[in-house]
C-alpha cells in the first residue's frame, strides 16, 4: 500500500473525492483501491460534523460490519462516543511495524499510526469487518 498516496489526500468534512475526504470517505476509498471492495454506501446524506447523523448512518450498516476477532488489513477500526454512537473510523493495513491504521480528522489530517497507538488515542474502539454477504440487497 502506498501510504504517501493516502497521506496526500486532505481532510474535507463530508468529502468523497481525492480533493478531500472525511474518515468514512477515506475508508471506502481504501477498501475499493486496496481490496476491490465496492458498494459501501457513501453516506452522502450524513451531515458533516453531525455525530447523530453519522451514528444513524452506521446503525443502518451495522449488520454489514461484524466483529473481527483476528484483525487483518481492510478491517474497520470504529470509534464510539460515550453514548455508543459511531463517530470515527480508520482502516487497517499492514505497515512496517505491523497492523497500522489509516484515518483522517480535521485536527490531524490524513495520517497513519500503529493500531495500538490509535487505540490509545481513541479509547472506545472496536475492530469490525465488512461482509458483503450481509449487506442489504
Amino acid at each position: 500500500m502506498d501510504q504517501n498516496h493516502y497521506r496526500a489526500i486532505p481532510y474535507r468534512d463530508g468529502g468523497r473525492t481525492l480533493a478531500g475526504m472525511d474518515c468514512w470517505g477515506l475508508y471506502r476509498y481504501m477498501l475499493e483501491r486496496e481490496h476491490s471492495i465496492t458498494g459501501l454506501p457513501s453516506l452522502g446524506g450524513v451531515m458533516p460534523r453531525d455525530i447523530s447523523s453519522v451514528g444513524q448512518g452506521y446503525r443502518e450498516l451495522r449488520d454489514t460490519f461484524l466483529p473481527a476477532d483476528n484483525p487483518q488489513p481492510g478491517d474497520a477500526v470504529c470509534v464510539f462516543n460515550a453514548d455508543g454512537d459511531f463517530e470515527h473510523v480508520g482502516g487497517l493495513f499492514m505497515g512496517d511495524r505491523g497492523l497500522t491504521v489509516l484515518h483522517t480528522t480535521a485536527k490531524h489530517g490524513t495520517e497513519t499510526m500503529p493500531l495500538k497507538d490509535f487505540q490509545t488515542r481513541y479509547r472506545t474502539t472496536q475492530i469490525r469487518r465488512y461482509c458483503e454477504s450481509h449487506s442489504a440487497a
Side-chain angles (χ1 to χ4, degrees):
M1 185 173 112
D2 179 6
Q3 296 178 40
N4 291 327
H5 168 75
Y6 291 98
R7 283 193 203 118
I9 301 169
Y11 177 85
R12 178 170 291 159
D13 216 1
R16 298 292 183 268
T17 71
L18 293 177
M21 297 182 193
D22 63 12
C23 63
W24 180 253
L26 186 66
Y27 177 67
R28 284 181 68 235
Y29 179 64
M30 184 189 89
L31 277 186
E32 290 174 9
R33 182 178 162 102
E34 303 297 328
H35 303 280
S36 300
I37 295 174
T38 59
L40 252 67
S42 83
L43 298 181
V46 171
M47 300 304 296
R49 295 229 181 262
D50 180 353
I51 295 302
S52 65
S53 64
V54 171
Q56 178 60 36
Y58 175 76
R59 281 189 289 280
E60 292 171 6
L61 292 172
R62 186 179 328 216
D63 292 340
T64 64
F65 282 88
L66 304 178
D69 296 329
N70 57 336
Q72 60 188 351
D75 287 348
V77 186
C78 302
V79 178
F80 297 88
N81 64 21
D83 295 326
D85 289 330
F86 171 81
E87 66 179 19
H88 185 54
V89 67
L92 283 178
F93 70 95
M94 190 57 69
D96 295 338
R97 297 183 293 160
L99 284 173
T100 302
V101 179
L102 169 71
H103 73 118
T104 189
T105 63
K107 182 177 181 179
H108 299 286
T110 301
E111 63 180 350
T112 60
M113 62 178 24
L115 175 58
K116 295 288 183 197
D117 293 349
F118 188 88
Q119 290 171 317
T120 298
R121 182 186 288 176
Y122 303 100
R123 300 207 182 270
T124 53
T125 63
Q126 292 179 14
I127 300 173
R128 298 193 158 263
R129 183 164 301 135
Y130 176 67
C131 297
E132 291 176 281
S133 63
H134 286 87
S135 63

